[in-house]
Amino acid sequence: MRTRPLKVALLGCGVVGSEVARIMTTHADDLTARIGAPVELAGVAVRRPSKVREGIDPALITTDATALVKRGDIDVVVEVIGGIEPARALITTAFEHGASVVSANKALLAQDGAALHAAAEQHGRDLYYEAAVAGAIPLIRPLRESLAGDKVNRVLGIVNGTTNFILDKMDSTGAGYQEALDEATALGYAEADPTADVEGFDAAAKAAILAGIAFHTRVRLDDVYREGMTEVTAADFASAKEMGCTIKLLAICERAADGGSVTARVHPAMIPLSHPLASVRGAYNAVFVESDASGQLMFYGPGAGGSPTASAVLGDLVAVCRNRLSGATGPGESAYAALPVSGMGDVVTRYHISLDVADKPGVLAQVATVFAEHGVSIDTVRQQGKDGEASLVVVTHRASDAALGGTVEALRKLDTVRGVASIMRVEGE
């Protein structure tokens, strides 16, 4: 066993970074045994040096992150500061000065993953980022290593704990969106500004990373269709229950039926209670993978938080350190397929549409005609009326998003249609 320690620079010492430092200290002997050499925390870059950080030698604290990654004796840089800059510049600088990188930065990887992989390859270094997608859940390594000999066709998942907590609370208690969000905030599941979570930005970044790995194709954040969940109502949940469904904010990455393109999207969707993802409660995450040879696989666990995310970071750290000792590098970017990324208009799925209509004869026939004219087949219809007004709920067979959009536009022009109360996709068949 090598006695000279591998030196680690930690960029960021917040909720995740402090847990990484703690585990490196408390599990030092185990990490040494697993790696084949000791690992040493050589420096910690922070923005507020005056803050007390229990268990970390104050002499390791610095505000000069650039100088830390340029030292030349650093073997691995762990980046948990998030955001685009200065994280991007620090990571590329680390490669240039001989360090491999472990990151949890989903936004940066979704936006500039290809460039970062290229920089890592140019300098013969590793770029690992298991913690960027689903916290403690092993997902990236199974996709790019365990399933490397298989053909993945679909990745369907709950990849944001905040939104799952809110939707689960609405489902189980009948609470409205704002009430459920307030509880999530009080419990610490939601940030003071929850926009990144509830509008789907967080999940969209993760979907881009997953799609790229699953389909060996470069998928950037801009390629991902994104729709938030702030408009989901208690009435939507009532409709879902009547269909034997619940509602989840899903990240969906799919290979087209002909194999010639891929799509990536994030949006609320009804999902049958019989589907494994329907039973994922609270702030937990789960990802359902469908492939040719393996069939259906599900990965489940805590998707956020200091300890779970730090667990994934440390797993990557062990792998990268082992590579360092052997003089090898692990898997890099696999984008050989270079499949085109289709837009949302090409996506085919089922739809649940709730309409406010006049309660009089012939309305259903008019609505059905509009659906037929746009090539959208109706599966079921439910109508309830009172005092001259009615609600009409239509569930379609599978149709393209473009065809459904044209249908809804035409429905709005009918004098008998007062408004479109809600439109929701139905997934997980």
Side-chain angles (χ1 to χ4, degrees):
M1 179 181 292
R2 190 176 100 164
T3 57
R4 184 174 68 81
L6 292 159
K7 295 189 176 183
V8 178
L10 179 60
L11 308 183
C13 198
V15 173
V16 176
S18 60
E19 277 297 294
V20 170
R22 183 189 67 79
I23 295 172
M24 284 184 64
T25 301
T26 59
H27 295 182
D29 291 342
D30 287 335
L31 291 173
T32 298
R34 293 167 190 170
I35 292 169
V39 287
E40 174 188 304
L41 190 59
V44 182
V46 300
R47 287 184 298 175
R48 294 184 293 275
S50 60
K51 181 179 178 180
V52 176
R53 293 172 172 85
E54 187 176 347
I56 298 178
D57 183 351
L60 297 178
I61 301 297
T62 178
T63 57
D64 193 343
T66 302
L68 177 60
V69 301
K70 282 184 173 181
R71 273 177 37 174
D73 65 335
I74 299 297
D75 294 288
V76 184
V77 170
V78 175
E79 183 272 310
V80 288
I81 56 178
I84 305 302
E85 292 293 359
R88 174 169 48 197
L90 291 170
I91 289 173
T92 55
T93 300
F95 291 141
E96 291 165 1
H97 286 78
S100 290
V101 173
V102 173
S103 177
N105 195 330
K106 54 187 171 287
L108 178 57
L109 289 158
Q111 178 171 306
D112 288 319
L116 295 178
H117 274 292
E121 183 177 1
Q122 177 186 352
H123 296 284
R125 295 294 176 250
D126 277 322
L127 173 62
Y128 276 48
Y129 43 90
E130 185 69 67
V133 173
I137 305 172
L139 185 58
I140 290 177
R141 193 171 287 117
L143 280 174
R144 72 177 184 179
E145 297 181 33
S146 303
L147 296 176
D150 205 344
K151 179 184 177 183
V152 176
N153 297 308
R154 195 173 197 230
V155 180
L156 174 76
I158 299 164
V159 294
N160 183 278
T162 299
T163 55
N164 199 59
F165 178 89
I166 293 169
L167 292 173
D168 182 40
K169 186 62 61 174
M170 293 175 70
D171 184 29
S172 60
T173 69
Y177 165 76
Q178 189 60 51
E179 182 182 353
L181 172 60
D182 290 344
E183 182 171 351
T185 303
L187 292 173
Y189 291 126
E191 301 286 346
D193 180 1
T195 302
D197 295 323
V198 300
E199 293 295 352
F201 291 101
D202 176 84
K206 295 171 180 178
I209 296 170
L210 288 174
I213 296 171
F215 306 133
H216 306 281
T217 293
R218 288 178 178 170
V219 180
R220 299 181 74 251
L221 181 58
D222 292 344
D223 296 321
V224 182
Y225 172 83
R226 178 193 55 78
E227 182 181 320
M229 48 159 278
T230 57
E231 300 301 316
V232 176
T233 66
D236 291 326
F237 274 101
S239 293
K241 287 181 179 179
E242 290 179 358
M243 291 180 57
C245 294
T246 188
I247 299 172
K248 300 291 186 181
L249 184 75
L250 298 177
I252 305 170
C253 312
E254 291 181 307
R255 189 189 300 268
D258 64 3
S261 64
V262 299
T263 58
R265 51 197 165 102
V266 169
H267 54 71
M270 293 183 181
I271 190 166
L273 294 174
S274 58
H275 194 282
L277 290 178
S279 62
V280 178
R281 311 301 297 269
Y284 276 73
N285 284 191
V287 177
F288 203 71
V289 178
E290 301 174 10
S291 66
D292 276 0
S294 300
Q296 298 178 330
L297 305 170
M298 182 163 153
F299 301 83
Y300 169 85
S307 293
T309 305
S311 171
V313 169
L314 266 294
D316 279 349
L317 179 63
V318 169
V320 169
C321 285
R322 286 172 174 168
N323 291 343
R324 190 83 171 188
L325 289 178
S326 66
T329 54
E333 182 189 31
S334 176
Y336 71 89
L339 296 171
V341 183
S342 298
M344 191 63 186
D346 296 324
V347 170
V348 175
T349 188
R350 296 174 67 204
Y351 290 86
H352 176 283
I353 305 102
S354 180
L355 305 171
D356 295 326
V357 299
D359 186 18
K360 62 183 183 181
V363 173
L364 180 55
Q366 287 183 331
V367 169
T369 297
V370 170
F371 275 87
E373 289 174 346
H374 288 80
V376 179
S377 176
I378 293 175
D379 183 16
T380 62
V381 179
R382 185 175 71 255
Q383 184 173 2
Q384 294 178 323
K386 184 178 180 181
D387 299 329
E389 298 296 329
S391 63
L392 191 65
V393 175
V394 178
V395 179
T396 74
H397 288 290
R398 292 175 65 83
S400 72
D401 191 79
L404 196 281
T407 303
V408 171
E409 185 177 347
L411 287 171
R412 295 182 192 276
K413 296 177 181 179
L414 293 179
D415 292 338
T416 51
V417 175
R418 309 294 192 227
V420 180
S422 69
I423 304 171
M424 192 165 295
R425 297 167 184 88
V426 183
E427 301 285 348
E429 298 175 87

